[in-house]
Amino acid sequence: EAGQPTFWFQPFYRYINGALHMVFGDSSVGELWWDAACLGFGAFFTFTVVRRFAGFRWALGAAALTLAIMITTCSTRRSRTV
């Protein structure tokens, strides 16, 4: 249990973070790559779903809005912790 319940924050976060540290060492580079991959996946998923129902232009806007919201949220959260 490592001092806290397994699903206290996000499921499998501890294991993903451990694997990233095994690959990238004791730095936050792996977490930055993981965050970027998840942002890209989220934008692509949004684009795919919206394109099916509303067309290419709306899908492009939805993907851009998804990235803007995620990046703004992540940057404000990181600036509060520093």
Side-chain angles (χ1 to χ4, degrees):
E1 211 175 80
Q4 65 181 349
T6 304
F7 297 108
W8 182 255
F9 294 105
Q10 293 104 357
F12 301 112
Y13 175 75
R14 165 184 316 177
Y15 307 111
I16 292 170
N17 199 21
L20 290 172
H21 281 296
M22 286 175 61
V23 173
F24 292 100
D26 192 23
S27 71
S28 61
V29 173
E31 292 182 36
L32 289 174
W33 279 96
W34 181 255
D35 289 345
C38 289
L39 283 172
F41 176 76
F44 179 71
F45 178 76
T46 303
F47 177 83
T48 304
V49 170
V50 173
R51 187 171 118 192
R52 174 171 281 178
F53 293 107
F56 179 79
R57 288 185 183 178
W58 283 100
L60 200 58
L65 186 62
T66 300
L67 286 175
I69 290 171
M70 296 284 206
I71 290 172
T72 303
T73 304
C74 290
S75 67
T76 57
R77 184 175 22 169
R78 286 182 195 257
S79 65
R80 280 189 227 151
T81 59
V82 173

